[in-house]
Every structure is written in structure tokens, then in C-alpha cells.
Amino acid sequence: MALPLRTLAPLLALLLLLTSGCDKENDDTLPLPDPPVYNKEIMFNIFTETDYSEERWKDSKVKLSLKLRRISTNLPKDAIALDTTFGWMPFQKLPLKTAPLQLEKQLQGVHKEQDQLVLDVTKVVSINGYETVFRYEQALDHGKRQETVEVKL
């Protein structure tokens, strides 16, 4: 009993495809996604862009406070990762951008989706005995595991 060529050809083609050495499963390996929890290194560069070396600034000074908060959707909701104050610095001795004052902080276990890092900056400026307070906050970049944050005096 011989099968006609019309019936035999599709069966042979199907058999050839099923037994071929092509291993498609191993060819489609996708890169692993970044883990949701990582460690972050932060370098704070603290400086002024103005040269205060003139005599008229001799009685002027600034006090700087930095507070790095880790705000989370899980408990604890708000944790302080860094809280530091630089005491009264005379304007004439403030670091310039070319030689900034540097502070480094490493954070462990930062969660990409649940944590937000926010820097609170408070500057108290005293010029000839008159004080003014400046405050602002700055969100850090979640996409960077190493980040340099500029704090201008």
C-alpha cells in the first residue's frame, strides 16, 4: 500500500521540522531586570560660585544644615539617613566650586519603587548681624546608583 506523493510530502516536511536541531528556547534569553533593591552612593559637593574675599564680607557668615530623608510607602514612612550641620562659616572662607567641601553618604537597601530620597537644605545667612533663612528641598535621582549632589552656598 503506497501513499500518494501528495499525502506523503506534507507529512515528511512536518517530520523534518519536528526533528530539526533548532533549539529556539535558548536563543531568546532576555537580560535580567535591575533588582528593585540597591545600594546608593551620594557625594555632596558644597560650594559658592561667588568670591567673597573682599573686606566688605568680613562680618558675614553662613550656617548650613543638610537633612537627607528616605520617604517610603512601607514602614517606617520617613527615616532620616543624614542629618548634619556645618557651623558658622565666614563668607571669606567659603569653598569655591573648584575646591568644594565634600561629604559622602552610602545608603543600603534602597527600594526602587517604594523609597524616595529627598534632601532638605537650610542656610542661615548673617550679613552684618542681620540673619536670613533660606530653605529648599531637592529630590535625588532614583536612576543613579552613584550621584553627585551640588549644594550652593
Side-chain angles (χ1 to χ4, degrees):
M1 166 157 151
L3 290 174
L5 189 54
R6 261 195 203 162
T7 308
L8 193 56
L11 289 175
L12 286 174
L14 181 62
L15 183 62
L16 183 63
L17 284 173
L18 290 174
T19 60
S20 69
C22 181
D23 190 6
K24 186 70 175 160
E25 291 177 23
N26 291 338
D27 292 343
D28 288 340
T29 55
L30 297 174
L32 295 174
D34 285 338
V37 178
Y38 63 96
N39 297 333
K40 185 168 181 94
E41 294 179 31
I42 307 164
M43 175 67 73
F44 297 96
N45 285 340
I46 303 163
F47 61 89
T48 182
E49 293 179 318
T50 305
D51 182 3
Y52 292 105
S53 61
E54 296 176 13
E55 183 67 21
R56 67 183 172 136
W57 298 109
K58 76 174 186 162
D59 293 327
S60 300
K61 54 190 175 182
V62 64
K63 180 169 64 170
L64 176 68
S65 296
L66 302 176
K67 186 181 289 187
L68 181 61
R69 294 183 294 131
R70 186 179 193 165
I71 303 167
S72 179
T73 56
N74 284 343
L75 294 175
K77 295 282 187 189
D78 199 349
I80 305 299
L82 171 74
D83 189 2
T84 190
T85 299
F86 297 91
W88 291 106
M89 297 179 280
F91 272 32
Q92 293 178 329
K93 293 185 179 179
L94 293 178
L96 294 172
K97 188 171 186 171
T98 55
L101 178 63
Q102 295 184 321
L103 176 66
E104 187 174 330
K105 180 68 180 171
Q106 295 187 4
L107 299 177
Q108 306 294 320
V110 176
H111 196 285
K112 198 174 203 175
E113 287 90 26
Q114 296 174 356
D115 293 340
Q116 179 184 8
L117 301 173
V118 176
L119 177 66
D120 295 323
V121 178
T122 303
K123 296 185 286 186
V124 181
V125 177
S126 175
I127 299 176
N128 297 326
Y130 296 99
E131 290 186 7
T132 305
V133 178
F134 299 94
R135 288 188 175 94
Y136 68 90
E137 67 179 40
Q138 178 178 346
L140 275 63
D141 189 348
H142 245 316
K144 297 179 180 176
R145 293 178 188 265
Q146 294 180 327
E147 184 171 3
T148 300
V149 177
E150 292 186 341
V151 178
K152 297 178 185 176
L153 297 172

